[in-house]
Amino acid sequence: ERQLVQSGGGSVQAGGSLRLSCTVSGFTFGDSDMGWYRQAPGNACELVSTIKIDGSTYYGDSVKGRFTASQDNTKNTMYLQMSSLKPEDTAVYYCAADQLATPRICAVFGYWGQGTQVTVSS
C-alpha cells in the first residue's frame, strides 16, 4: 500500500525557516515523480516544487530561491526546506506522488500526504 506521512510545519514569523518532511512507503523515489503542493483558504491548489524521476527539480515562481526540495533515498523521505518565509506562504502543505497535473483542490485524487499547516506571521 502506498502511503505518504508528513511531519514538520507549524508557526513562524516572517523571515524565518521551517522544514517539512514526507516519508513514503510502498514505492520508491526512483519510480515516481514527487511534488510539494500547498493550498490556502479560498485559493486553488498550488504547485510548490517537484522532483522528477530523473532527479530534475522545479520550483514555482513564488518560492524560487527560498525553498529547497530534496530526497533521502536511505530514509525514503523527502524534504522541503523553507527559508525567508512570508505571510503569503501561509497554507496547508502537501506532498504527493505522480501527479500529472496540479488539481484545483489538493489531496483529492491519487497519493497525497495528510497535509501540514504552515503559518507565517508578519
Side-chain angles (χ1 to χ4, degrees), residues 23-56:
T23 300
V24 306
S25 59
F27 59 100
T28 62
F29 293 137
D31 295 329
S32 299
D33 294 330
M34 303 300 299
W36 288 97
Y37 298 78
R38 66 186 183 187
Q39 189 153 25
N43 290 358
C45 185
E46 178 186 4
L47 174 62
V48 174
S49 175
T50 60
I51 302 180
K52 297 291 188 179
I53 292 173
D54 64 3
S56 60

Side-chain angles (χ1 to χ4, degrees), residues 8 10 32 38 44 57 93 104 114:
S32 299
R38 66 186 183 187
T57 56
Y93 284 70
R104 179 163 181 78
Q114 78 274 22

